[in-house]
Amino acid sequence: MPKAKPVEIEYASYPYNGIDKRGQPYEYELFLFYPDGKWDESKRTLDEALREYPRHRYEWKQVDLD
């Protein structure tokens, strides 16, 4: 059986400054996804994004936040 082609999904990302459990500052990237051209109402870290939209099922296409 042929392998299913990944679904194209648009995303944008931006750096975010946070505070860890020890009160130390750190920076990470937040991802916003637009399935079917509409924001899914979530901001995700890279780990969360990979769980929700795994690369073997989705082809990520970066777009501008503007």
Side-chain angles (χ1 to χ4, degrees):
M1 187 157 82
K3 201 175 202 182
K5 183 177 178 184
V7 175
E8 189 174 295
I9 188 168
E10 294 181 341
Y11 78 95
S13 65
Y14 63 93
Y16 182 80
N17 294 314
I19 303 291
D20 68 16
K21 293 178 184 178
R22 296 173 293 160
Q24 300 298 313
Y26 69 99
E27 183 176 289
Y28 57 96
E29 196 165 5
L30 286 179
F31 291 80
L32 296 85
F33 286 85
Y34 300 87
D36 301 319
K38 186 175 178 186
W39 182 39
D40 71 359
E41 301 292 326
S42 295
K43 296 176 183 173
R44 296 180 168 87
T45 63
L46 179 58
D47 289 342
E48 293 166 339
L50 288 168
R51 278 193 299 274
E52 186 69 25
Y53 301 109
R55 299 248 183 175
H56 68 279
R57 290 184 35 215
Y58 294 91
E59 182 180 346
W60 295 13
K61 296 287 185 183
Q62 190 167 16
V63 296
D64 291 331
L65 281 172
D66 297 335

